[in-house]
Amino acid sequence: DGAESARALQQPDRGTITLALVGTLASTTLTACLRRFRAAHPRVELRLRTALSQEVSVLVRRGDATLGLRYGGDPHPEMRALPVYDEPMIVVCPPRHGLARRRRLAPAALASEPWVAFPPRDGAFYDPYPWSLQNRLAACGLAPAEIIPIDSLTAQKRMVEAGFGLALLPESSVDEELRARTLRALPIPAMRVTIPVMLVHRRRAYLSGAARALMAELTAWPRGAARGRARPGSTRCSTSSLESSR
């Protein structure tokens, strides 16, 4: 009956949740977090969708997603944004690059270097991730620089490994490559920057017990990742597939 259905919604071990997220957040640590949630709540159907940060908010706002993980906050009055953590962005290069073994670099050392990055999107809402490179290059006196537009995080990493340019990438997204030594992080203090990762939901939306349980898992995710992950060579500064989109 209706009362039983209402009680069921309060339970953290049943129901359906759609999580919209920026594809570049689908690192090994986040997928491990989601795997833990599914193991702890096997009766909950967890659906995933990837999109740009602005699109994540749109999906949540119109009810197509229960929760969203995005870069930066959402100023829309109907939305609530909870800080999850600040993602360090690091400059990476191939291991045989001439600067790869330097212990400290000034921005001037990068003056002639090409960069691999997401292409600009005309009329797009400001997104702190794709704009982080342009902002840092300008602040370091390196603009304009040659930008090789690559609209895939995985392809960007492969292009850097092949020596086509440097990249400013989320630290969590290159964890495997740093471990395997197919990429190296360059120690450039002036290029250090972090971008906020936010969990968003509608202010007036009903959040089921399962949704609240997932929120708790996601907000605890960075602490679990920090305990289980070492970062060699790093510097601080139905389901849709987890594709490599911003």
Side-chain angles (χ1 to χ4, degrees):
D1 59 9
E4 183 177 350
S5 298
R7 286 193 297 270
L9 286 174
Q10 296 291 335
Q11 301 300 314
D13 61 347
R14 64 185 66 186
T16 299
I17 308 170
T18 299
L19 173 65
L21 69 154
V22 179
T24 49
L25 290 172
S27 62
T28 54
T29 58
L30 176 59
T31 52
C33 169
L34 297 178
R35 190 164 53 244
R36 287 194 300 271
F37 176 82
R38 291 182 65 181
H41 306 278
R43 298 175 65 184
V44 175
E45 182 180 359
L46 178 58
R47 300 174 179 173
L48 306 175
R49 296 185 63 169
T50 58
L52 306 179
S53 287
Q54 182 185 13
E55 294 166 349
V56 165
S57 286
V58 171
L59 289 170
V60 173
R61 198 157 58 241
R62 71 188 184 197
D64 292 333
T66 315
L67 303 171
L69 271 179
R70 56 162 290 164
Y71 293 116
D74 188 330
H76 197 284
E78 294 180 11
M79 299 290 285
R80 184 184 181 202
L82 305 173
V84 178
Y85 77 110
D86 290 327
E87 173 74 75
M89 303 287 285
I90 61 173
V91 177
V92 294
C93 71
R96 295 186 179 181
H97 192 280
L99 302 176
R101 298 193 179 278
R102 299 275 292 274
R103 294 187 177 182
R104 190 178 180 89
L105 291 166
L110 310 178
S112 61
E113 297 290 340
W115 294 82
V116 174
F118 284 106
R121 296 180 182 270
D122 294 337
F125 180 77
Y126 176 79
D127 187 325
Y129 174 22
W131 279 98
S132 59
L133 175 61
Q134 297 288 356
N135 291 342
R136 283 293 85 204
L137 291 176
C140 292
L142 299 173
E146 179 186 355
I147 305 292
I148 303 171
I150 304 293
D151 201 9
S152 160
L153 176 62
T154 300
Q156 288 177 16
K157 293 189 287 186
R158 301 295 87 83
M159 292 288 282
V160 174
E161 289 172 341
F164 284 91
L166 309 181
L168 183 67
L169 299 177
E171 189 176 32
S172 64
S173 73
V174 294
D175 181 67
E176 292 182 0
E177 287 80 8
L178 293 176
R179 288 174 180 271
R181 300 182 183 274
T182 60
L183 289 176
R184 290 185 69 93
L186 292 179
I188 311 171
M191 290 291 290
R192 289 176 182 168
V193 64
T194 61
I195 50 178
V197 176
M198 310 292 283
L199 179 64
V200 298
H201 66 84
R202 285 184 296 161
R203 287 186 181 275
R204 298 182 180 181
Y206 173 77
L207 295 174
S208 67
R212 293 194 298 271
L214 179 57
M215 290 177 66
E217 188 74 45
L218 290 171
T219 53
W221 151 47
R223 295 191 295 275
R227 288 194 300 269
R229 181 173 63 219
R231 295 186 176 102
S234 67
T235 57
R236 297 296 297 180
C237 12
S238 98
T239 300
S240 298
S241 63
L242 292 175
E243 60 197 34
S244 294
S245 62
R246 280 176 277 156

